[in-house]
Amino acid sequence: MLNIALPKGRLGEKVYAMFEAAGFECPSIKENNRKLIFENAEKQVRYFWVKPSDVAIYVERGAADIGVAGKDILLEYEPDVYELLDLNLGKCRMAVAAPADFRDNENRTLRVATKFTNIAAAYYAGIGRQIDIIKLNGSIELAPILGLSDVIVDIVETGTTLKENNLAVMQTILPISARLIANKASFQFKGRQIESLLDQVRNQVNSCD
Ligand code: PRP
């Protein structure tokens, strides 16, 4: 059995649809209930829904053989897993945003609110800008509005959240998309099964281009 951790939510549903099209369907997953684990013995797959930011933990520790996680999570937490494939889903970007009229004063330490403290620290270290990081867990956009920070480092998908809060992108740090990841030991011991799924899913990704 191949244990597969999917990110719960809209992205996870798209990922499942891709795996289904690749021949790894599990019809019971579409039953509308609150179950978290679904199995198809014939196809030798067991899916489970986990919080998107937890997928890499399940895979790193071997509770899942493979999973799908955002590049943002992989860069932020650097889990010890193999990154096998860019699924070209969940595309967005990591960006610096601020009130549209914000002008950076380089003589002052820049206050940066974010959930992604490692990504933000690496970005500002790379451009040699001194910052004070304020770690938040959600509603990051509030921070510059209330004067808690000067800027934010956050995910921008459509840009609607920024727009509706009178914020604008100042710099794009990097593009983000969903990645297929594998546990390192599973990749040795279930290599054949993982490679076969990888080939089929890769065909799906290429056919969506
Ligand atoms: C992300 C991000 C922004 C929003 C951007 O939040 O933190 O708030 O999406 O999307 P948009 O550009 O399409 O408006 P998410 O919905 O993942 O929730 P979270 O803040 O609770 O993580």
Side-chain angles (χ1 to χ4, degrees):
M1 207 41 110
L2 201 59
N3 291 305
I4 307 172
L6 293 179
K8 205 170 171 22
R10 220 157 29 96
L11 171 64
E13 280 160 27
K14 283 190 199 157
V15 172
Y16 172 73
M18 185 176 259
F19 281 37
E20 183 182 60
F24 297 89
E25 72 275 12
C26 183
S28 60
I29 210 166
K30 296 203 167 150
E31 287 164 16
N32 195 12
N33 58 32
R34 297 180 73 94
K35 262 180 73 168
L36 296 171
I37 302 187
F38 302 89
E39 231 174 78
N40 182 348
E42 188 208 326
K43 296 281 172 172
Q44 292 282 292
V45 286
R46 181 188 290 128
Y47 289 101
F48 37 93
W49 296 117
V50 310
K51 197 176 149 108
S53 51
D54 288 343
V55 168
I57 300 172
Y58 280 79
V59 174
E60 180 176 39
R61 300 225 170 213
D65 299 306
I66 61 170
V68 173
K71 185 68 181 173
D72 51 331
I73 300 294
L74 301 179
L75 288 169
E76 180 65 22
Y77 299 105
E78 299 186 338
D80 190 17
V81 297
Y82 291 133
E83 187 182 316
L84 301 178
L85 182 66
D86 183 344
L87 297 181
N88 242 328
L89 295 174
K91 285 166 99 168
C92 51
R93 57 187 165 140
M94 186 67 66
V96 178
D101 59 358
F102 173 74
R103 296 287 169 271
D104 192 5
N105 175 353
E106 303 252 335
N107 299 318
R108 280 186 46 227
T109 299
L110 186 70
R111 296 170 307 154
V112 181
T114 187
K115 251 194 287 198
F116 301 95
T117 55
N118 293 327
I119 292 175
Y123 170 71
Y124 283 106
I127 58 170
R129 181 75 172 92
Q130 198 175 7
I131 60 165
D132 175 14
I133 291 218
I134 301 158
K135 158 94 178 159
L136 294 177
N137 298 300
S139 300
I140 317 294
E141 293 83 1
L142 266 179
I145 297 170
L146 298 181
L148 177 61
S149 74
D150 300 308
V151 301
I152 63 173
V153 166
D154 201 10
I155 286 169
V156 180
E157 191 181 353
T158 60
T160 310
T161 311
L162 292 182
K163 206 164 155 204
E164 294 196 351
N165 291 290
N166 301 315
L167 302 173
V169 169
M170 301 281 134
Q171 292 95 27
T172 291
I173 299 180
L174 42 93
I176 306 285
S177 57
R179 309 296 164 102
L180 180 64
I181 57 174
N183 173 268
K184 289 189 166 177
S186 301
F187 196 71
Q188 304 303 323
F189 296 114
K190 299 186 182 178
R192 203 179 39 82
Q193 220 187 333
I194 294 176
E195 291 280 6
S196 129
L197 180 140
L198 179 59
D199 284 347
Q200 302 303 320
V201 172
R202 188 186 286 115
N203 288 341
Q204 287 304 314
V205 174
N206 294 338
S207 73
C208 292
D209 277 350

